[in-house]
Amino acid sequence: MALAGSVRVMLHWSDVGGLRRFEDAIRALGNDTSRKVLARAVNRTGEMARTKVRSALTKQTGLKRKVIVAAVKTNRSDWEDLTFSLYSSGGDVSLKFFEPKETDQGVRAKPFNRSTVFPATFLRGGEWPGGRGALLAGGHAFFRAGTKRLPIERARSGVIIPAEMVKDASAEAFTSTAATVLPRRVEHEIKRVTKGVVS
């Protein structure tokens, strides 16, 4: 069974240390200008964090980058909500997305970037090895749900993208980028809008 879920990780300017030194400058800019400055800083930082999270998730899960890019969505900051968030939903990813190959023991695939054999799974119908037919269902791996030939169920990898987003290297990529980059981006945007007069 594929367990479905969703997760959202958020960057809010007020959640990051190192910004207190800009409080006077932000107040001096006035409400509209300061919110514009902060939204730009949050978005730029969030975009940099997103790039690092995608890279980390690609290595962490064993999925292709294009799959991660499609799975991890973005909500950008605006004047009213100074929050940049990454979110994803879904369940246990099919073995199809991890370079599956049939072997004598079962299907070999690479979830979590580790070559693993899934016993009693198969990609094709027919007798092994010489009587194998075409790929089933476009390349998905299956296993028999009971002792009989049918029914069969789709084999899963154990990789759940929302769960992987909030742990290990991908979580560290998001939080460390926010902590190190956001103060620099706020300072940059303040200097840019005031032509260096306020910092």
Side-chain angles (χ1 to χ4, degrees):
M1 178 180 291
L3 298 176
S6 63
V7 71
R8 183 181 298 267
V9 289
M10 294 184 291
L11 166 62
H12 189 281
W13 79 274
S14 64
D15 293 337
V16 177
L19 296 176
R20 182 161 295 180
R21 63 195 173 100
F22 301 118
E23 287 180 351
D24 290 341
I26 290 168
R27 277 196 294 270
L29 293 175
N31 191 52
D32 286 350
T33 302
S34 66
R35 295 187 76 82
K36 190 184 300 184
V37 162
L38 293 172
R40 280 199 299 260
V42 167
N43 282 329
R44 182 65 182 130
T45 304
E47 287 160 4
M48 295 173 71
R50 179 183 60 197
T51 298
K52 292 188 176 184
V53 167
R54 284 173 173 171
S55 178
L57 278 173
T58 300
K59 295 175 184 175
Q60 194 169 311
T61 63
L63 287 163
K64 300 291 187 187
R65 179 176 172 81
K66 66 180 180 180
V67 176
I68 294 297
V69 169
V72 178
K73 310 295 185 184
T74 302
N75 272 344
R76 290 170 57 83
S77 173
D78 59 31
W79 287 26
E80 294 184 359
D81 183 8
L82 297 172
T83 304
F84 184 102
S85 60
L86 301 179
Y87 63 97
S88 185
S89 61
D92 198 337
V93 179
S94 170
L95 283 185
K96 174 181 179 176
F97 297 96
F98 298 93
E99 303 177 23
K101 294 179 176 60
E102 276 190 339
T103 73
D104 290 343
Q105 294 78 36
V107 171
R108 181 181 295 277
K110 297 179 180 178
F112 302 106
N113 261 325
R114 296 190 296 268
S115 183
T116 305
V117 173
F118 293 79
T121 55
F122 50 90
L123 297 170
R124 303 171 188 272
E127 293 296 321
W128 175 267
R132 307 300 278 164
L135 289 172
L136 299 170
H140 285 286
F142 290 88
F143 63 92
R144 289 187 171 83
T147 57
K148 296 183 179 180
R149 187 167 176 270
L150 294 173
I152 60 175
E153 293 184 9
R154 191 173 293 180
R156 303 287 176 172
S157 63
V159 173
I160 301 172
I161 295 173
E164 294 302 314
M165 278 180 64
V166 293
K167 67 182 185 183
D168 300 336
S170 58
E172 172 62 19
F174 190 86
T175 56
S176 64
T177 303
T180 58
V181 174
L182 187 54
R184 294 203 307 264
R185 293 308 307 179
V186 170
E187 183 175 23
H188 170 81
E189 293 295 342
I190 289 172
K191 286 181 177 178
R192 188 175 75 85
V193 78
T194 64
K195 297 180 170 50
V197 174
V198 178
S199 63

